Amino acid sequence: MRIRTLPAAVATAALFSSVLLGAGPAAADSSVPISVGDVRDTVVDGAHQRLFISGDSVITVVDYTGKVIQTLTGLSGVSDLVLSPDGGTLYAAVTGADKVVAFDTATLTQSAEYPTGAGTAPRHIALTQGRIWFGYGDQWDSGLGEVDLTASPATVTLDLAGGHDFASTPMLYADPANPDTLVALDGGISSGPIVVYDVSSGTPAIRVTKDEGGFYGDAAFTPGAQSIVVVGQGYRAVTEYRLSDLAKVHEYPVRDEPETVTVAPDGTIAATTLDTENTGDTYVFPGGADAPASVRNLSNAWMPWGGHSTSWSADGTKLFVLTGSSGSMQFQTVNEPRKYVTTLAVNAPATAPRAKTLTVKGTLTAGLLPPAGTAVNVVRTDLLSPTGKSLGTTVLGAGGSFSFTDVPPAGGTVRYTVTYPGDAAHTQASASDTVAVSRTTPAVTLTNNKKTYTYGKKVVFTAHLGATYTNRTVEIWADPYGPDKPNKLIKSGKVDAHGNLTATVTMSRDTAVSAVFKGDSRYSPRTVKSTAYAHVKTASSLSKYYRTGTIGSARYRYYHKNTDAILTTTMTYYKSRKERLDLQVYSGGKWYTTDSEYFALGTNGKSSVNLGHPGTASVRARVRASYIDPSSGDSVNTTTYGAWQYFYFTN
């Protein structure tokens, strides 16, 4: 059989009365990537705590964690593997080299090889009575041969099928617990039988043969090797046959086409299925054929087919399963494979009022349910109990259902977590759901909304917090306009006896100031915002005038009619900012705009503009520099008009 370990004749028992397919797929206890490709066979070496995995012309040696220890190479088309009864030798069918090769399992070095004849292409092997039996050939040219290790040197004999004409290379199984028996599966044809040979004389003699549907994929002996468990294409069951007459003993139901099977020393059967619907790929039957399976979903992809990729550990406590495909293979370990996988579903109302009774319902599912009355633990997590508060237990009812009521003392997000601790037959499970429990909206205000201030003014913002339950802390944040300035916490603290907290903001830009209350168990979080505006700082001066004087109430700079007036402006700098100059001329008792134009500021915030000269005398003019939001190239300040600069041209 595929697990070559010491036999334990422990019969499977019908522990439970109902037959159900397991529910609640679960992941493996560990899953690690492994660099193997096409898997042909897997053998467990219990003495060295290793697995040998054949495929892609190599044998990969891994430990029980899936770590690769060594790779045995140069084995063209290596297929079946078998351990000697003492575990000291590994035999491998090397199909592409027409031989069987032996390795020392302690040193992992080749110890012998046995050519089987040109063109024989041995594919399947079994070991009993000091002979390596091998299935060779292809389709109707297939046959049964032996390597007699009792002879010195070993001899090879072909054509030992005992009158049976194999339609495909026979799959071979033998076990030291039943040393006179060799089983051959003619798996390549729908009418292919199971053939049981008596090999006590050294020459195979057909003891019983029977067509059981063909297209076999894998097989394993039960403890004592009196029955064989077979899987094959098209079936929805793992089937056990008695070797004495090939009568069907049990069927182990699965949802999809079974791919591989393995039997533990205590008789527990595990099988994998193709799992095309992704509903569960690994089945363990801890209670035998008359009890439900525990089903796990170890992979979201279809399971590998065409080789033996599932094995029990030598002591039968762990289950190893290879999943995936070449280039993405995973080595999966199930630590408690006999336990039924349990899953919990918890359903709480989406919303609920605080301090009012609510009801939470749920269901525990498993291939075999724990009995009604089984307790599950309930924990509530909320703002008053952030690390969780036990609400005691509730019990499972019919069909695994449960419910409980609670009066949530705190508002906000309230989480109810239900945990089933598991037992000797069931895995642990936990699930949760949340409720949005209502809270009162607090009164929060903030001063200075939509007010405008001169550049650089220090402005006091006052946040006011109304009634709350336990939290009296407010944060005040300032977020200046412009992507180069982050939102910044400028003050955080408890409000005073009047509910106020103040913070000072220097107004160099338009600024969104926020008062933030983060809530407590009875009052919800709230943020209010005041947007205050800041002018730019700007100053302008004229140059090249020859004197000053007053006309009316305005102070003028006097220029000769052919002298250019130069205006220099200093303005708060921002990237790509421009000033706007407005030029007006006085005529007939009124000011008329003659030009309005934008000029870029230097990185120092300065700009000098030649205003020209009229060439005639008695011309009165004025000019001002302004920042216009957003026409000046940005929107980080509010529109600011500079003071008029007056000038007069004379002869």
Side-chain angles (χ1 to χ4, degrees), residues 125-138:
I125 58 175
L127 178 65
T128 187
Q129 296 285 39
R131 291 172 170 81
I132 303 171
W133 302 96
F134 60 91
Y136 65 90
D138 185 33

Side-chain angles (χ1 to χ4, degrees), residues 128-451:
T128 187
Q129 296 285 39
R131 291 172 170 81
I132 303 171
W133 302 96
F134 60 91
Y136 65 90
D138 185 33
Q139 294 186 339
W140 294 103
D141 291 328
S142 300
L144 175 63
E146 70 164 2
V147 178
D148 186 354
L149 302 178
T150 65
S152 182
T155 60
V156 174
T157 306
L158 302 178
D159 298 324
L160 296 174
H164 180 75
D165 188 10
F166 284 102
S168 59
T169 308
M171 302 164 62
L172 302 178
Y173 300 87
D175 191 289
N178 189 358
D180 295 338
T181 299
L182 174 70
V183 178
L185 305 182
D186 196 352
I189 189 171
S190 61
S191 59
I194 299 175
V195 182
V196 181
Y197 288 99
D198 185 333
V199 293
S200 58
S201 67
T203 300
I206 295 177
R207 183 185 297 155
V208 60
T209 180
K210 192 174 182 180
D211 179 9
E212 298 293 356
F215 292 131
Y216 309 113
D218 196 13
F221 286 120
T222 59
Q226 298 302 309
S227 293
I228 191 167
V229 183
V230 176
V231 298
Q233 297 176 20
Y235 292 90
R236 295 285 174 146
V238 178
T239 309
E240 179 182 344
Y241 298 98
R242 186 169 53 232
L243 294 184
S244 60
D245 57 4
L246 290 179
K248 184 184 296 184
V249 179
H250 296 295
E251 282 193 349
Y252 299 82
V254 294
R255 287 195 182 99
D256 203 346
E257 177 182 302
E259 296 297 321
T260 186
V261 65
T262 182
V263 181
D266 68 351
T268 304
I269 291 174
T272 63
T273 69
L274 189 59
D275 192 26
T276 57
E277 301 299 324
N278 199 27
T279 57
D281 49 47
T282 302
Y283 291 70
V284 178
F285 295 88
D290 297 322
S294 181
V295 183
R296 289 168 171 82
N297 199 34
L298 303 186
S299 173
N300 290 325
W302 288 11
M303 295 293 278
W305 65 84
H308 180 75
S309 55
T310 304
S311 297
W312 290 92
S313 61
D315 61 5
T317 60
K318 298 178 184 292
L319 185 66
F320 305 116
V321 183
L322 291 168
T323 65
S325 56
S326 180
S328 60
M329 193 72 74
Q330 293 287 121
F331 183 89
Q332 314 264 13
T333 303
V334 182
N335 290 332
E336 296 180 306
R338 290 170 181 79
K339 286 191 174 184
Y340 286 93
V341 177
T342 60
T343 58
L344 278 168
V346 178
N347 184 20
T351 60
R354 191 190 67 81
K356 301 291 184 181
T357 301
L358 58 79
T359 300
V360 179
K361 299 179 180 181
T363 306
L364 183 144
T365 57
L368 179 74
L369 286 173
T374 297
V376 292
N377 302 312
V378 180
V379 172
R380 181 186 63 223
T381 305
D382 56 20
L383 291 171
L384 291 177
S385 304
T387 60
K389 176 181 175 60
S390 174
L391 301 184
T393 62
T394 187
V395 297
L396 301 179
S401 63
F402 61 86
S403 68
F404 60 89
T405 60
D406 185 43
V407 179
T413 299
V414 178
R415 180 178 296 277
Y416 292 96
T417 301
V418 179
T419 301
Y420 168 61
D423 58 25
H426 298 86
T427 62
Q428 181 270 348
S430 183
S432 63
D433 198 9
T434 58
V435 185
V437 177
S438 63
R439 287 185 281 180
T440 302
T441 301
V444 182
T445 60
L446 184 63
T447 58
N448 301 327
N449 188 37
K450 297 185 178 179
K451 292 184 178 180

